[in-house]
Amino acid sequence: MRKKIIAGNWKMNKNLEEGMGLVSEISNMLKDEYQGSALALIIPPFIHINAVSKLIADNSKLGLGAQNCSNHQSGAFTGEVSAEMLKSCGCTYVVIGHSERREYFNENNAWLAQKINAALASHLTPIYCCGETLAEREKEEHFTVLQKQISEGLFHLSAAQIQHVVIAYEPVWAIGTGKTASTAQAQEIHAFIRGLIAQKYSDAIAQEITIQYGGSVKPENAAELFAAADIDGALVGGAALQSRSFVDIIKAMA
Ligand code: 13P
């Protein structure tokens, strides 16, 4: 059985007080309302991680992730945060290669492969993001783009290592646009990604890898997406900034 994960990526939103309020509400609502087995991840800005860690310590339904980490272990890299630091502050997951990092911070696949290594070396589970732009989809290049992102970012890993990676398919044209990929479009890509893993490693390994969908996930479309055979959860942006909508998305996963 693959692990089902619903992650709330806050991006650069919420001051400390707002963030703590949001986490407390989510934690209380999950205790009262959610009996399912999915893991819900809070992915706040770095600076809130330690405080969130303390707040969720008594709730086994909630876990903690970071939005990024350095590709280096430690040293003279002013402004950077290492995977080891994140681990020591209570994180167990880290998002690597979000399309906003790829676009605005020029992170390429080779760079991201190093970040994957840094995360695994510190026993963090990387959530490796991939996805095509609108222009790439219109030119029907999406399969080629995804194949390149997955192979260059992940295929240096051993069979043992790849089993500790989560993949998130986030079509760039669906992020923050209100335009969700249809369930059929998302399922097609998830099955394609799982096929790539099966070809490179084995079918057994591919069947165990969690693949999340991200891009305008809301309470209204979550249940349909989660019913698809290869969609194992969601990476949620905007709808994770409100307790009611985030918890309703989690509840859509039985
Ligand atoms: P939205 O849910 O706001 O479209 O953002 C998706 C995302 O980028 C999550 O990482």
Side-chain angles (χ1 to χ4, degrees):
M1 257 298 266
R2 292 194 287 272
K3 194 180 238 177
K4 310 291 185 186
I5 305 172
I6 320 292
N9 172 13
W10 293 5
K11 310 191 180 185
M12 198 174 73
N13 292 293
K14 304 286 178 191
N15 67 24
L16 183 62
E17 192 184 343
E18 291 163 349
M20 296 309 95
L22 176 59
V23 173
S24 300
E25 284 172 21
I26 293 168
S27 182
N28 289 334
M29 285 170 147
L30 284 179
K31 281 182 194 161
D32 290 346
E33 300 176 26
Y34 187 60
Q35 313 316 326
S37 58
L39 174 66
L41 287 182
I42 305 285
I43 309 193
F46 285 140
I47 193 141
H48 301 340
I49 282 172
N50 208 22
V52 173
S53 174
K54 293 186 176 118
L55 216 50
I56 66 171
D58 69 336
N59 191 337
S60 61
K61 291 170 183 167
L62 278 171
L64 183 57
Q67 298 174 17
N68 182 27
C69 71
S70 172
N71 54 331
H72 296 284
Q73 298 286 344
S74 64
F77 301 101
T78 300
E80 289 287 270
V81 173
S82 74
E84 187 56 37
M85 292 169 191
L86 296 173
K87 182 78 183 173
S88 74
C89 289
C91 278
T92 47
Y93 289 79
V94 59
V95 174
I96 304 283
H98 192 281
S99 64
E100 289 148 19
R101 302 289 321 168
R102 291 177 185 265
E103 184 181 351
Y104 307 135
F105 302 94
N106 298 320
E107 295 191 0
N108 61 30
N109 294 329
W111 189 252
L112 297 171
Q114 291 180 20
K115 293 193 176 204
I116 296 278
N117 294 343
L120 290 172
S122 293
H123 305 286
L124 290 178
T125 301
I127 299 178
Y128 181 66
C129 300
C130 57
E132 79 285 359
T133 63
L134 184 59
E136 288 161 346
R137 182 163 276 264
E138 283 173 347
K139 283 186 275 172
E140 297 193 0
E141 289 172 0
H142 43 296
F143 292 112
T144 316
V145 168
L146 284 157
Q147 201 272 342
K148 194 168 156 67
Q149 289 172 340
I150 297 283
S151 61
E152 292 183 2
L154 295 179
F155 283 179
H156 63 288
L157 298 177
S158 68
Q161 287 174 314
I162 193 82
Q163 297 179 59
H164 298 287
V165 173
V166 167
I167 295 172
Y169 169 56
E170 296 205 305
V172 179
W173 48 272
I175 295 177
T177 57
K179 195 176 172 196
T180 323
S182 69
T183 302
Q185 281 173 322
Q187 166 58 27
E188 180 184 39
I189 300 292
H190 283 230
F192 173 72
I193 293 170
R194 207 177 296 289
L196 294 175
I197 307 284
Q199 259 172 31
K200 169 72 183 173
Y201 297 97
S202 71
D203 193 46
I205 287 175
Q207 287 306 323
E208 288 303 311
I209 299 225
T210 298
I211 308 179
Q212 300 174 298
Y213 169 78
S216 298
V217 176
K218 314 180 258 278
E220 296 76 35
N221 57 28
E224 188 187 325
L225 285 162
F226 297 163
D230 288 289
I231 300 180
D232 307 315
L235 187 51
V236 186
L241 297 175
Q242 265 203 338
S243 53
R244 184 71 272 160
S245 50
F246 187 51
V247 169
D248 282 350
I249 291 169
I250 297 163
K251 286 165 72 179
M253 181 66 86

Coordinates of all heavy atoms in Angstrom, one line a residue, residues 7-11 13-14 22 98 100 170 174-177 215-219 235-243 245-246 249:
A7 N 0.0 17.5 1.3 CA 1.0 18.5 1.8 C 0.5 19.9 1.5 O 0.1 20.2 0.4 CB 2.4 18.3 1.2
G8 N 0.6 20.8 2.5 CA 0.3 22.2 2.4 C 1.5 23.0 2.3 O 2.2 23.2 3.3
N9 N 1.8 23.5 1.0 CA 3.0 24.3 0.8 C 2.6 25.8 0.9 O 1.9 26.3 0.1 CB 3.5 24.0 -0.6 CG 4.6 25.0 -1.0 OD1 5.2 25.7 -0.2 ND2 4.9 25.0 -2.3
W10 N 3.0 26.4 2.0 CA 2.6 27.8 2.3 C 3.3 28.8 1.4 O 2.9 30.0 1.4 CB 2.8 28.2 3.8 CG 2.0 27.4 4.8 CD1 1.2 26.4 4.6 CD2 2.0 27.6 6.2 NE1 0.6 26.0 5.7 CE2 1.1 26.7 6.8 CE3 2.7 28.5 7.0 CZ2 0.9 26.7 8.1 CZ3 2.5 28.5 8.4 CH2 1.6 27.5 8.9
K11 N 4.3 28.4 0.7 CA 5.2 29.3 0.0 C 5.6 30.5 0.9 O 5.8 30.3 2.1 CB 4.4 29.8 -1.3 CG 3.9 28.6 -2.1 CD 3.4 28.9 -3.4 CE 2.9 27.6 -4.1 NZ 2.5 27.8 -5.5
N13 N 4.1 32.9 2.6 CA 2.9 33.4 3.2 C 2.8 33.1 4.7 O 3.4 32.1 5.2 CB 1.6 32.8 2.6 CG 1.5 33.2 1.1 OD1 1.3 34.4 0.8 ND2 1.7 32.3 0.2
K14 N 2.2 34.0 5.5 CA 1.9 33.9 6.9 C 3.1 34.4 7.8 O 4.2 33.8 7.7 CB 1.6 32.4 7.3 CG 0.4 31.8 6.6 CD -0.9 32.3 7.0 CE -2.1 31.7 6.2 NZ -3.3 32.4 6.4
L22 N -3.0 29.1 12.2 CA -3.5 28.1 11.2 C -3.1 26.7 11.6 O -4.0 25.8 11.5 CB -2.8 28.5 9.9 CG -3.0 27.6 8.7 CD1 -4.5 27.5 8.3 CD2 -2.2 28.1 7.4
H98 N 10.6 22.7 -6.8 CA 9.3 23.4 -7.1 C 9.5 24.2 -8.3 O 10.6 24.9 -8.5 CB 8.9 24.2 -5.9 CG 7.4 24.6 -6.1 ND1 7.1 25.7 -6.8 CD2 6.3 24.1 -5.5 CE1 5.8 25.8 -6.8 NE2 5.3 24.9 -6.0
E100 N 8.6 27.1 -9.0 CA 9.0 28.5 -8.7 C 10.5 28.6 -8.4 O 11.1 29.6 -8.8 CB 8.1 29.0 -7.5 CG 6.7 29.2 -7.9 CD 5.7 29.0 -6.8 OE1 6.0 29.0 -5.6 OE2 4.5 28.8 -7.1
E170 N 3.4 18.7 -10.8 CA 2.7 20.0 -10.8 C 2.8 20.7 -12.1 O 3.8 21.3 -12.4 CB 3.3 20.9 -9.7 CG 3.2 20.3 -8.3 CD 3.3 21.5 -7.2 OE1 4.3 22.2 -7.2 OE2 2.3 21.6 -6.5
A174 N -1.1 25.0 -14.1 CA -2.2 24.8 -13.1 C -1.9 25.4 -11.8 O -2.8 25.4 -10.9 CB -2.5 23.3 -13.0
I175 N -0.7 25.9 -11.6 CA -0.3 26.4 -10.3 C -0.8 27.8 -10.1 O -0.4 28.7 -10.8 CB 1.2 26.3 -10.1 CG1 1.7 24.9 -10.1 CG2 1.7 27.0 -8.8 CD1 3.2 24.7 -10.0
G176 N -1.6 28.0 -9.0 CA -2.1 29.3 -8.7 C -3.0 30.0 -9.7 O -3.3 31.1 -9.7
T177 N -3.5 29.2 -10.7 CA -4.2 29.7 -11.8 C -5.7 29.4 -11.7 O -6.5 30.0 -12.4 CB -3.8 29.1 -13.2 OG1 -3.9 27.7 -13.1 CG2 -2.4 29.5 -13.5
G215 N -1.5 21.7 -8.1 CA -2.0 22.7 -9.1 C -3.5 22.9 -9.0 O -4.3 22.2 -9.5
S216 N -3.8 24.0 -8.2 CA -5.2 24.4 -8.0 C -6.0 23.2 -7.4 O -7.2 23.1 -7.7 CB -5.8 24.9 -9.2 OG -5.1 26.1 -9.7
V217 N -5.5 22.4 -6.5 CA -6.3 21.4 -5.8 C -7.1 22.2 -4.7 O -6.7 23.1 -4.0 CB -5.4 20.4 -5.1 CG1 -6.3 19.4 -4.3 CG2 -4.6 19.6 -6.1
K218 N -8.4 21.8 -4.7 CA -9.4 22.5 -3.8 C -10.3 21.4 -3.3 O -10.3 20.3 -3.8 CB -10.3 23.4 -4.6 CG -9.6 24.4 -5.6 CD -10.6 25.3 -6.3 CE -10.9 24.8 -7.7 NZ -10.0 25.2 -8.7
P219 N -11.1 21.7 -2.2 CA -12.1 20.7 -1.7 C -13.0 20.2 -2.8 O -13.4 19.0 -2.8 CB -12.8 21.4 -0.7 CG -11.9 22.5 -0.2 CD -11.1 22.9 -1.4
L235 N -0.1 18.2 -3.4 CA 0.7 19.2 -2.9 C -0.1 20.5 -3.2 O -0.4 20.9 -4.3 CB 2.0 19.2 -3.7 CG 3.1 20.2 -3.3 CD1 3.4 20.1 -1.8 CD2 4.4 19.9 -4.0
V236 N -0.6 21.1 -2.1 CA -1.6 22.1 -2.1 C -0.9 23.5 -1.8 O -0.2 23.6 -0.8 CB -2.7 21.9 -1.1 CG1 -3.8 22.9 -1.3 CG2 -3.2 20.4 -1.2
G237 N -1.2 24.5 -2.6 CA -0.7 25.8 -2.3 C -1.8 26.7 -1.7 O -2.1 26.6 -0.5
G238 N -2.5 27.5 -2.5 CA -3.5 28.4 -2.0 C -4.5 27.9 -1.0 O -4.8 28.5 0.1
A239 N -5.1 26.7 -1.3 CA -6.1 26.1 -0.4 C -5.5 25.6 0.9 O -6.3 25.3 1.8 CB -6.9 25.0 -1.1
A240 N -4.2 25.6 1.1 CA -3.6 25.2 2.3 C -3.4 26.3 3.3 O -3.0 26.2 4.4 CB -2.3 24.5 2.1
L241 N -3.8 27.5 2.8 CA -3.6 28.7 3.7 C -4.8 29.0 4.6 O -4.8 29.9 5.3 CB -3.3 29.9 2.8 CG -2.0 29.9 2.0 CD1 -1.8 31.1 1.1 CD2 -0.8 29.8 3.0
Q242 N -5.8 28.1 4.4 CA -7.0 28.2 5.2 C -7.3 26.9 5.8 O -7.3 25.9 5.1 CB -8.2 28.5 4.3 CG -8.5 30.0 4.2 CD -10.0 30.2 3.7 OE1 -10.5 29.2 3.2 NE2 -10.5 31.3 4.0
S243 N -7.6 26.8 7.1 CA -7.8 25.5 7.8 C -8.9 24.7 7.2 O -8.8 23.5 6.9 CB -8.0 25.7 9.3 OG -9.0 26.6 9.5
S245 N -10.4 24.7 4.2 CA -10.2 24.1 2.9 C -9.1 23.1 2.9 O -9.3 22.0 2.3 CB -9.9 25.2 1.8 OG -8.9 26.1 2.2
F246 N -8.1 23.3 3.7 CA -7.0 22.3 3.7 C -7.5 21.0 4.4 O -7.3 19.9 3.8 CB -5.8 22.8 4.5 CG -4.6 21.9 4.5 CD1 -4.1 21.4 3.2 CD2 -3.9 21.6 5.6 CE1 -2.9 20.6 3.2 CE2 -2.8 20.7 5.6 CZ -2.3 20.2 4.4
I249 N -9.7 19.0 2.0 CA -8.9 18.3 1.0 C -8.4 17.0 1.7 O -8.5 15.9 1.1 CB -7.8 19.2 0.5 CG1 -8.4 20.3 -0.4 CG2 -6.8 18.3 -0.4 CD1 -7.4 21.4 -0.8

